[in-house]
PDB file of all heavy atoms in Angstrom:
ATOM      1  N   SER A 305       8.419  34.928  -2.001  1.00  0.00           N
ATOM      2  CA  SER A 305       9.461  35.203  -2.997  1.00  0.00           C
ATOM      3  C   SER A 305      10.800  35.348  -2.297  1.00  0.00           C
ATOM      4  O   SER A 305      10.897  35.956  -1.236  1.00  0.00           O
ATOM      5  CB  SER A 305       9.147  36.489  -3.756  1.00  0.00           C
ATOM      6  OG  SER A 305       7.986  36.332  -4.520  1.00  0.00           O
ATOM      7  N   VAL A 306      11.832  34.772  -2.900  1.00  0.00           N
ATOM      8  CA  VAL A 306      13.183  34.862  -2.354  1.00  0.00           C
ATOM      9  C   VAL A 306      14.157  35.203  -3.479  1.00  0.00           C
ATOM     10  O   VAL A 306      13.838  35.071  -4.653  1.00  0.00           O
ATOM     11  CB  VAL A 306      13.625  33.544  -1.669  1.00  0.00           C
ATOM     12  CG1 VAL A 306      12.805  33.265  -0.428  1.00  0.00           C
ATOM     13  CG2 VAL A 306      13.582  32.372  -2.633  1.00  0.00           C
ATOM     14  N   ASP A 307      15.337  35.647  -3.095  1.00  0.00           N
ATOM     15  CA  ASP A 307      16.407  35.886  -4.055  1.00  0.00           C
ATOM     16  C   ASP A 307      17.607  35.043  -3.631  1.00  0.00           C
ATOM     17  O   ASP A 307      17.522  34.237  -2.709  1.00  0.00           O
ATOM     18  CB  ASP A 307      16.751  37.375  -4.139  1.00  0.00           C
ATOM     19  CG  ASP A 307      17.129  37.978  -2.795  1.00  0.00           C
ATOM     20  OD1 ASP A 307      17.512  37.235  -1.862  1.00  0.00           O
ATOM     21  OD2 ASP A 307      17.052  39.210  -2.667  1.00  0.00           O
ATOM     22  N   GLU A 308      18.731  35.219  -4.295  1.00  0.00           N
ATOM     23  CA  GLU A 308      19.928  34.430  -4.017  1.00  0.00           C
ATOM     24  C   GLU A 308      20.355  34.554  -2.551  1.00  0.00           C
ATOM     25  O   GLU A 308      20.672  33.560  -1.898  1.00  0.00           O
ATOM     26  CB  GLU A 308      21.069  34.881  -4.947  1.00  0.00           C
ATOM     27  CG  GLU A 308      22.352  34.100  -4.774  1.00  0.00           C
ATOM     28  CD  GLU A 308      22.319  32.719  -5.401  1.00  0.00           C
ATOM     29  OE1 GLU A 308      21.355  32.377  -6.094  1.00  0.00           O
ATOM     30  OE2 GLU A 308      23.271  31.961  -5.182  1.00  0.00           O
ATOM     31  N   ASN A 309      20.340  35.764  -2.006  1.00  0.00           N
ATOM     32  CA  ASN A 309      20.743  35.961  -0.611  1.00  0.00           C
ATOM     33  C   ASN A 309      19.722  35.411   0.359  1.00  0.00           C
ATOM     34  O   ASN A 309      20.072  34.886   1.407  1.00  0.00           O
ATOM     35  CB  ASN A 309      20.959  37.453  -0.311  1.00  0.00           C
ATOM     36  CG  ASN A 309      22.158  38.002  -1.019  1.00  0.00           C
ATOM     37  OD1 ASN A 309      23.096  37.280  -1.316  1.00  0.00           O
ATOM     38  ND2 ASN A 309      22.131  39.285  -1.304  1.00  0.00           N
ATOM     39  N   ASN A 310      18.449  35.569   0.041  1.00  0.00           N
ATOM     40  CA  ASN A 310      17.386  35.190   0.965  1.00  0.00           C
ATOM     41  C   ASN A 310      17.005  33.720   0.860  1.00  0.00           C
ATOM     42  O   ASN A 310      16.096  33.272   1.532  1.00  0.00           O
ATOM     43  CB  ASN A 310      16.156  36.075   0.735  1.00  0.00           C
ATOM     44  CG  ASN A 310      15.409  36.318   2.002  1.00  0.00           C
ATOM     45  OD1 ASN A 310      15.926  36.138   3.098  1.00  0.00           O
ATOM     46  ND2 ASN A 310      14.166  36.716   1.876  1.00  0.00           N
ATOM     47  N   SER A 311      17.690  32.967   0.013  1.00  0.00           N
ATOM     48  CA  SER A 311      17.441  31.531  -0.085  1.00  0.00           C
ATOM     49  C   SER A 311      18.689  30.760   0.323  1.00  0.00           C
ATOM     50  O   SER A 311      18.855  29.602  -0.042  1.00  0.00           O
ATOM     51  CB  SER A 311      17.033  31.149  -1.506  1.00  0.00           C
ATOM     52  OG  SER A 311      18.098  31.405  -2.402  1.00  0.00           O
ATOM     53  N   ILE A 312      19.571  31.413   1.064  1.00  0.00           N
ATOM     54  CA  ILE A 312      20.836  30.822   1.510  1.00  0.00           C
ATOM     55  C   ILE A 312      21.574  30.270   0.278  1.00  0.00           C
ATOM     56  O   ILE A 312      21.977  29.113   0.228  1.00  0.00           O
ATOM     57  CB  ILE A 312      20.631  29.718   2.580  1.00  0.00           C
ATOM     58  CG1 ILE A 312      19.529  30.049   3.568  1.00  0.00           C
ATOM     59  CG2 ILE A 312      21.939  29.417   3.294  1.00  0.00           C
ATOM     60  CD1 ILE A 312      19.733  31.270   4.413  1.00  0.00           C
ATOM     61  N   SER A 313      21.707  31.104  -0.728  1.00  0.00           N
ATOM     62  CA  SER A 313      22.359  30.764  -2.000  1.00  0.00           C
ATOM     63  C   SER A 313      21.740  29.537  -2.659  1.00  0.00           C
ATOM     64  O   SER A 313      22.425  28.730  -3.262  1.00  0.00           O
ATOM     65  CB  SER A 313      23.862  30.553  -1.796  1.00  0.00           C
ATOM     66  OG  SER A 313      24.470  31.745  -1.387  1.00  0.00           O
ATOM     67  N   GLY A 314      20.418  29.390  -2.516  1.00  0.00           N
ATOM     68  CA  GLY A 314      19.731  28.277  -3.152  1.00  0.00           C
ATOM     69  C   GLY A 314      19.896  26.956  -2.433  1.00  0.00           C
ATOM     70  O   GLY A 314      19.537  25.912  -2.965  1.00  0.00           O
ATOM     71  N   MET A 315      20.443  26.969  -1.214  1.00  0.00           N
ATOM     72  CA  MET A 315      20.680  25.714  -0.496  1.00  0.00           C
ATOM     73  C   MET A 315      19.533  25.305   0.424  1.00  0.00           C
ATOM     74  O   MET A 315      19.605  24.273   1.076  1.00  0.00           O
ATOM     75  CB  MET A 315      21.995  25.802   0.279  1.00  0.00           C
ATOM     76  CG  MET A 315      23.195  25.839  -0.644  1.00  0.00           C
ATOM     77  SD  MET A 315      24.751  25.772   0.201  1.00  0.00           S
ATOM     78  CE  MET A 315      24.991  27.492   0.591  1.00  0.00           C
ATOM     79  N   VAL A 316      18.468  26.096   0.509  1.00  0.00           N
ATOM     80  CA  VAL A 316      17.282  25.691   1.253  1.00  0.00           C
ATOM     81  C   VAL A 316      16.610  24.584   0.456  1.00  0.00           C
ATOM     82  O   VAL A 316      16.518  24.660  -0.766  1.00  0.00           O
ATOM     83  CB  VAL A 316      16.321  26.884   1.454  1.00  0.00           C
ATOM     84  CG1 VAL A 316      15.019  26.427   2.083  1.00  0.00           C
ATOM     85  CG2 VAL A 316      16.961  27.963   2.294  1.00  0.00           C
ATOM     86  N   ALA A 317      16.134  23.547   1.137  1.00  0.00           N
ATOM     87  CA  ALA A 317      15.513  22.406   0.456  1.00  0.00           C
ATOM     88  C   ALA A 317      14.195  22.056   1.136  1.00  0.00           C
ATOM     89  O   ALA A 317      13.991  22.377   2.310  1.00  0.00           O
ATOM     90  CB  ALA A 317      16.455  21.203   0.491  1.00  0.00           C
ATOM     91  N   PRO A 318      13.298  21.412   0.412  1.00  0.00           N
ATOM     92  CA  PRO A 318      12.055  20.960   1.037  1.00  0.00           C
ATOM     93  C   PRO A 318      12.352  20.106   2.268  1.00  0.00           C
ATOM     94  O   PRO A 318      13.239  19.263   2.250  1.00  0.00           O
ATOM     95  CB  PRO A 318      11.386  20.126  -0.059  1.00  0.00           C
ATOM     96  CG  PRO A 318      11.915  20.709  -1.328  1.00  0.00           C
ATOM     97  CD  PRO A 318      13.340  21.070  -1.017  1.00  0.00           C
ATOM     98  N   GLY A 319      11.610  20.365   3.345  1.00  0.00           N
ATOM     99  CA  GLY A 319      11.822  19.645   4.599  1.00  0.00           C
ATOM    100  C   GLY A 319      12.676  20.409   5.587  1.00  0.00           C
ATOM    101  O   GLY A 319      12.674  20.099   6.775  1.00  0.00           O
ATOM    102  N   ASP A 320      13.419  21.414   5.123  1.00  0.00           N
ATOM    103  CA  ASP A 320      14.254  22.217   6.023  1.00  0.00           C
ATOM    104  C   ASP A 320      13.387  23.036   6.974  1.00  0.00           C
ATOM    105  O   ASP A 320      12.243  23.360   6.672  1.00  0.00           O
ATOM    106  CB  ASP A 320      15.143  23.189   5.230  1.00  0.00           C
ATOM    107  CG  ASP A 320      16.375  22.525   4.646  1.00  0.00           C
ATOM    108  OD1 ASP A 320      16.746  21.430   5.110  1.00  0.00           O
ATOM    109  OD2 ASP A 320      16.969  23.112   3.725  1.00  0.00           O
ATOM    110  N   LEU A 321      13.978  23.404   8.112  1.00  0.00           N
ATOM    111  CA  LEU A 321      13.350  24.329   9.045  1.00  0.00           C
ATOM    112  C   LEU A 321      14.049  25.669   8.924  1.00  0.00           C
ATOM    113  O   LEU A 321      15.280  25.728   8.865  1.00  0.00           O
ATOM    114  CB  LEU A 321      13.473  23.824  10.489  1.00  0.00           C
ATOM    115  CG  LEU A 321      12.691  22.577  10.837  1.00  0.00           C
ATOM    116  CD1 LEU A 321      12.972  22.165  12.277  1.00  0.00           C
ATOM    117  CD2 LEU A 321      11.202  22.792  10.644  1.00  0.00           C
ATOM    118  N   ILE A 322      13.265  26.742   8.887  1.00  0.00           N
ATOM    119  CA  ILE A 322      13.832  28.083   8.791  1.00  0.00           C
ATOM    120  C   ILE A 322      13.233  28.981   9.857  1.00  0.00           C
ATOM    121  O   ILE A 322      12.165  28.704  10.404  1.00  0.00           O
ATOM    122  CB  ILE A 322      13.591  28.719   7.400  1.00  0.00           C
ATOM    123  CG1 ILE A 322      12.087  28.871   7.120  1.00  0.00           C
ATOM    124  CG2 ILE A 322      14.291  27.935   6.305  1.00  0.00           C
ATOM    125  CD1 ILE A 322      11.772  29.717   5.895  1.00  0.00           C
ATOM    126  N   ASP A 323      13.956  30.047  10.177  1.00  0.00           N
ATOM    127  CA  ASP A 323      13.434  31.151  10.975  1.00  0.00           C
ATOM    128  C   ASP A 323      13.319  32.334  10.022  1.00  0.00           C
ATOM    129  O   ASP A 323      14.039  32.412   9.016  1.00  0.00           O
ATOM    130  CB  ASP A 323      14.387  31.518  12.111  1.00  0.00           C
ATOM    131  CG  ASP A 323      14.485  30.429  13.174  1.00  0.00           C
ATOM    132  OD1 ASP A 323      13.663  29.496  13.165  1.00  0.00           O
ATOM    133  OD2 ASP A 323      15.391  30.517  14.017  1.00  0.00           O
ATOM    134  N   ILE A 324      12.423  33.266  10.325  1.00  0.00           N
ATOM    135  CA  ILE A 324      12.235  34.437   9.473  1.00  0.00           C
ATOM    136  C   ILE A 324      12.405  35.695  10.308  1.00  0.00           C
ATOM    137  O   ILE A 324      11.765  35.844  11.353  1.00  0.00           O
ATOM    138  CB  ILE A 324      10.846  34.432   8.797  1.00  0.00           C
ATOM    139  CG1 ILE A 324      10.687  33.161   7.946  1.00  0.00           C
ATOM    140  CG2 ILE A 324      10.646  35.681   7.951  1.00  0.00           C
ATOM    141  CD1 ILE A 324       9.315  32.974   7.353  1.00  0.00           C
ATOM    142  N   LEU A 325      13.307  36.575   9.863  1.00  0.00           N
ATOM    143  CA  LEU A 325      13.505  37.872  10.492  1.00  0.00           C
ATOM    144  C   LEU A 325      12.747  38.932   9.708  1.00  0.00           C
ATOM    145  O   LEU A 325      12.730  38.907   8.477  1.00  0.00           O
ATOM    146  CB  LEU A 325      14.989  38.269  10.487  1.00  0.00           C
ATOM    147  CG  LEU A 325      15.924  37.588  11.463  1.00  0.00           C
ATOM    148  CD1 LEU A 325      17.342  38.124  11.283  1.00  0.00           C
ATOM    149  CD2 LEU A 325      15.470  37.769  12.893  1.00  0.00           C
ATOM    150  N   PHE A 326      12.154  39.867  10.418  1.00  0.00           N
ATOM    151  CA  PHE A 326      11.467  41.014   9.824  1.00  0.00           C
ATOM    152  C   PHE A 326      12.381  42.223   9.979  1.00  0.00           C
ATOM    153  O   PHE A 326      12.832  42.531  11.080  1.00  0.00           O
ATOM    154  CB  PHE A 326      10.136  41.240  10.543  1.00  0.00           C
ATOM    155  CG  PHE A 326       9.452  42.522  10.172  1.00  0.00           C
ATOM    156  CD1 PHE A 326       9.031  42.762   8.880  1.00  0.00           C
ATOM    157  CD2 PHE A 326       9.216  43.493  11.130  1.00  0.00           C
ATOM    158  CE1 PHE A 326       8.386  43.942   8.536  1.00  0.00           C
ATOM    159  CE2 PHE A 326       8.566  44.671  10.811  1.00  0.00           C
ATOM    160  CZ  PHE A 326       8.158  44.897   9.513  1.00  0.00           C
ATOM    161  N   LEU A 327      12.697  42.895   8.872  1.00  0.00           N
ATOM    162  CA  LEU A 327      13.562  44.075   8.886  1.00  0.00           C
ATOM    163  C   LEU A 327      12.743  45.302   8.537  1.00  0.00           C
ATOM    164  O   LEU A 327      12.054  45.326   7.523  1.00  0.00           O
ATOM    165  CB  LEU A 327      14.705  43.924   7.887  1.00  0.00           C
ATOM    166  CG  LEU A 327      15.588  42.701   8.090  1.00  0.00           C
ATOM    167  CD1 LEU A 327      16.568  42.555   6.943  1.00  0.00           C
ATOM    168  CD2 LEU A 327      16.322  42.796   9.398  1.00  0.00           C
ATOM    169  N   LYS A 328      12.834  46.303   9.374  1.00  0.00           N
ATOM    170  CA  LYS A 328      12.094  47.552   9.168  1.00  0.00           C
ATOM    171  C   LYS A 328      13.106  48.684   9.101  1.00  0.00           C
ATOM    172  O   LYS A 328      13.921  48.851  10.001  1.00  0.00           O
ATOM    173  CB  LYS A 328      11.106  47.763  10.327  1.00  0.00           C
ATOM    174  CG  LYS A 328      10.278  49.006  10.224  1.00  0.00           C
ATOM    175  CD  LYS A 328       9.183  48.830   9.205  1.00  0.00           C
ATOM    176  CE  LYS A 328       8.245  50.026   9.250  1.00  0.00           C
ATOM    177  NZ  LYS A 328       7.996  50.622   7.989  1.00  0.00           N
ATOM    178  N   GLU A 329      13.036  49.441   8.012  1.00  0.00           N
ATOM    179  CA  GLU A 329      13.931  50.591   7.852  1.00  0.00           C
ATOM    180  C   GLU A 329      13.574  51.682   8.846  1.00  0.00           C
ATOM    181  O   GLU A 329      12.477  51.703   9.403  1.00  0.00           O
ATOM    182  CB  GLU A 329      13.831  51.137   6.426  1.00  0.00           C
ATOM    183  CG  GLU A 329      14.350  50.197   5.378  1.00  0.00           C
ATOM    184  CD  GLU A 329      15.826  49.900   5.506  1.00  0.00           C
ATOM    185  OE1 GLU A 329      16.609  50.819   5.843  1.00  0.00           O
ATOM    186  OE2 GLU A 329      16.213  48.736   5.296  1.00  0.00           O
ATOM    187  N   LYS A 330      14.489  52.621   9.018  1.00  0.00           N
ATOM    188  CA  LYS A 330      14.262  53.757   9.901  1.00  0.00           C
ATOM    189  C   LYS A 330      12.994  54.487   9.485  1.00  0.00           C
ATOM    190  O   LYS A 330      12.778  54.763   8.311  1.00  0.00           O
ATOM    191  CB  LYS A 330      15.455  54.712   9.814  1.00  0.00           C
ATOM    192  CG  LYS A 330      15.407  55.842  10.815  1.00  0.00           C
ATOM    193  CD  LYS A 330      16.534  56.828  10.634  1.00  0.00           C
ATOM    194  CE  LYS A 330      17.883  56.157  10.672  1.00  0.00           C
ATOM    195  NZ  LYS A 330      18.985  57.113  10.676  1.00  0.00           N
ATOM    196  N   ASP A 331      12.126  54.758  10.449  1.00  0.00           N
ATOM    197  CA  ASP A 331      10.852  55.427  10.188  1.00  0.00           C
ATOM    198  C   ASP A 331      11.009  56.915  10.450  1.00  0.00           C
ATOM    199  O   ASP A 331      10.932  57.374  11.584  1.00  0.00           O
ATOM    200  CB  ASP A 331       9.765  54.823  11.086  1.00  0.00           C
ATOM    201  CG  ASP A 331       8.384  55.356  10.771  1.00  0.00           C
ATOM    202  OD1 ASP A 331       8.240  56.063   9.751  1.00  0.00           O
ATOM    203  OD2 ASP A 331       7.461  55.068  11.535  1.00  0.00           O
ATOM    204  N   GLU A 332      11.252  57.685   9.389  1.00  0.00           N
ATOM    205  CA  GLU A 332      11.473  59.129   9.529  1.00  0.00           C
ATOM    206  C   GLU A 332      10.201  59.857   9.978  1.00  0.00           C
ATOM    207  O   GLU A 332      10.264  60.847  10.679  1.00  0.00           O
ATOM    208  CB  GLU A 332      11.951  59.731   8.196  1.00  0.00           C
ATOM    209  CG  GLU A 332      13.235  59.128   7.670  1.00  0.00           C
ATOM    210  CD  GLU A 332      14.445  59.382   8.550  1.00  0.00           C
ATOM    211  OE1 GLU A 332      14.421  60.341   9.349  1.00  0.00           O
ATOM    212  OE2 GLU A 332      15.418  58.610   8.448  1.00  0.00           O
ATOM    213  N   ALA A 333       9.034  59.350   9.573  1.00  0.00           N
ATOM    214  CA  ALA A 333       7.782  60.024   9.900  1.00  0.00           C
ATOM    215  C   ALA A 333       7.230  59.588  11.253  1.00  0.00           C
ATOM    216  O   ALA A 333       6.282  60.167  11.752  1.00  0.00           O
ATOM    217  CB  ALA A 333       6.729  59.732   8.822  1.00  0.00           C
ATOM    218  N   GLY A 334       7.824  58.573  11.866  1.00  0.00           N
ATOM    219  CA  GLY A 334       7.322  58.037  13.127  1.00  0.00           C
ATOM    220  C   GLY A 334       7.773  58.869  14.318  1.00  0.00           C
ATOM    221  O   GLY A 334       8.174  60.022  14.194  1.00  0.00           O
TER     222      GLY A 334
END
Side-chain angles (χ1 to χ4, degrees):
S305 294
V306 293
D307 56 21
E308 182 76 7
N309 291 333
N310 213 18
S311 64
I312 322 298
S313 296
M315 291 186 275
V316 173
D320 280 342
L321 292 177
I322 62 169
D323 292 348
I324 301 174
L325 285 180
F326 170 63
L327 303 173
K328 181 76 172 129
E329 293 297 322
K330 187 185 305 188
D331 186 9
E332 301 295 338

